[in-house]
Amino acid sequence: QIAKSVEAFKLALDINPMYEGIWFTLGVGLMQLERMDEAMVAFSRVLSINDEDGQAWANLAAVHLHQSRVREARTCMVEATKRCRQNWRMWESFQGICIKLRDINGVIQSLRRLVELDQMGRVQRQVLGMVTQAVITDMPELYEGRSGRSCMRQLLDFYKFATDHTASRPDFWSFYAHLQEAAGDDVGALESRLRQCRVLQARLWDEKDPEIFTENLQDFLECLNLIDSTMDDPATKEMAKAHATSFSYMLSEAAKKLKEKLAATVQEPSWKAAVGKLEALAQKAQKRS
């Protein structure tokens, strides 16, 4: 049926070759038939008539991508996102292409736009981790010959914007802290980890799923241990004194609640040992404060 429709569209275009909509529909049909060279011609004709058609630019990018022309696909998606700035799907597609090209700047740009569009669920932890690691380790041979550290300021600005936009994503705070630490901002890193802990603690006690609770508790403990290390580090302990009392209180409350939760369980949970770890951290923090 698609093949017949394609032939019908071609006949219609013989009559009126300036009909933008038919060129577009023809291009879609040719993509479905995987006749990519012809689809490229069809979408190029659409754009020769109306180069403001963002979807045509996106489809042309998809054709290039199908034929492994990733740089050309990126060029087309830049045009598509210019014309469809409110369309999160365009930014998600742009991000995927940038990842293939190791274009960290482009990935960060797409992440920021997804946050601006309130598409927080589309901001993937895996992508955040990949980008943050690339910057911290100063990954070489990125897109256009750049290295990871050249994107440090852009990524710091993104995390500042993202955490201002929503404070409820612990992974934002976690990666932000790692990046601040790499940038030499120990004060900022400590504050971000404290914010991460507060978010994790707030969601911890409401979690009903045992597996998710265990995962969140593990993240919470890891974050607490990092803060505890900062409090003990000779290079940062003086700076960290301002947070010693609030950190001690947070630990005491967490240890108390976890102990109560353990007492209320019927079967011994896998996280039982965490109670002792939390209590030990709480006692240490109390002495410190």
Side-chain angles (χ1 to χ4, degrees):
Q1 288 296 326
I2 296 174
K4 288 181 181 179
S5 297
V6 162
E7 295 309 313
F9 291 140
K10 285 183 174 180
L11 288 173
L13 289 167
D14 285 341
I15 299 168
N16 183 5
M18 296 302 292
Y19 200 133
E20 173 192 341
I22 295 181
W23 278 114
F24 184 92
T25 309
L26 173 63
V28 172
L30 289 165
M31 283 180 73
Q32 292 174 330
L33 294 173
E34 297 193 4
R35 290 159 59 178
M36 295 299 175
D37 288 338
E38 293 174 78
M40 187 180 303
V41 171
F43 291 123
S44 296
R45 289 298 297 268
V46 173
L47 294 169
S48 70
I49 299 166
N50 174 21
D51 73 350
E52 290 302 309
D53 190 328
Q55 192 58 59
W57 280 111
N59 286 358
L60 189 56
V63 170
H64 281 302
L65 200 57
H66 187 273
Q67 297 183 317
S68 300
R69 291 191 292 266
V70 188
R71 286 178 177 267
E72 289 84 349
R74 185 192 185 282
T75 300
C76 291
M77 281 311 303
V78 167
E79 299 300 325
T81 53
K82 282 180 185 176
R83 291 156 176 80
C84 302
R85 283 189 58 78
Q86 304 304 313
N87 188 329
W88 62 262
R89 290 182 177 83
M90 296 284 189
W91 290 100
E92 206 168 55
S93 296
F94 178 63
Q95 182 182 112
I97 290 168
C98 289
I99 289 171
K100 287 178 181 292
L101 286 170
R102 293 159 58 93
D103 176 9
I104 301 301
N105 288 87
V107 175
I108 298 169
Q109 182 187 1
S110 68
L111 289 169
R112 183 179 180 114
R113 191 64 189 136
L114 288 173
V115 173
E116 289 173 346
L117 294 171
D118 290 321
Q119 293 294 326
M120 218 62 66
R122 304 280 168 186
V123 179
Q124 298 177 37
R125 179 172 180 162
Q126 182 181 0
V127 175
L128 293 173
M130 176 201 71
V131 170
T132 305
Q133 186 69 7
V135 173
I136 288 173
T137 60
D138 197 22
M139 186 178 287
E141 298 178 11
L142 300 178
Y143 183 65
E144 293 185 334
R146 293 177 180 170
S147 65
R149 284 273 171 166
S150 69
C151 307
M152 175 69 83
R153 176 42 54 194
Q154 186 188 7
L155 189 55
L156 283 167
D157 289 345
F158 163 73
Y159 281 124
K160 175 67 169 64
F161 172 78
T163 52
D164 284 346
H165 195 83
T166 176
S168 61
R169 283 276 301 253
D171 53 343
F172 283 6
W173 291 113
S174 175
F175 291 127
Y176 194 13
H178 283 299
L179 192 67
Q180 288 168 312
E181 207 167 49
D185 181 8
D186 293 324
V187 175
L190 176 59
E191 290 174 352
S192 292
R193 288 201 171 104
L194 286 165
R195 295 290 295 271
Q196 180 194 356
C197 277
R198 292 187 192 109
V199 174
L200 287 167
Q201 187 177 21
R203 65 170 55 178
L204 190 62
W205 313 119
D206 295 328
E207 184 55 60
K208 305 300 182 187
D209 187 304
E211 288 186 14
I212 297 175
F213 175 83
T214 303
E215 289 174 9
N216 288 345
L217 179 59
Q218 183 61 37
D219 288 343
F220 184 50
L221 278 170
E222 286 178 9
C223 188
L224 291 171
N225 281 319
L226 285 169
I227 295 170
D228 182 67
S229 297
T230 302
M231 296 280 185
D232 283 342
D233 189 334
T236 54
K237 65 187 301 183
E238 197 63 35
M239 167 272 296
K241 277 183 179 179
H243 301 284
T245 301
S246 60
F247 183 57
S248 176
Y249 178 76
M250 179 195 294
L251 280 165
S252 297
E253 284 296 299
K256 179 184 173 183
K257 286 188 176 182
L258 193 63
K259 195 170 183 178
E260 289 171 354
K261 187 175 179 68
L262 178 62
T265 57
V266 179
Q267 292 184 326
E268 184 176 292
S270 60
W271 47 262
K272 181 182 177 182
V275 176
K277 292 176 182 177
L278 261 180
E279 287 179 331
L281 282 170
Q283 289 169 10
K284 185 178 176 184
Q286 195 170 22
K287 290 176 183 176
R288 191 189 288 123
S289 64

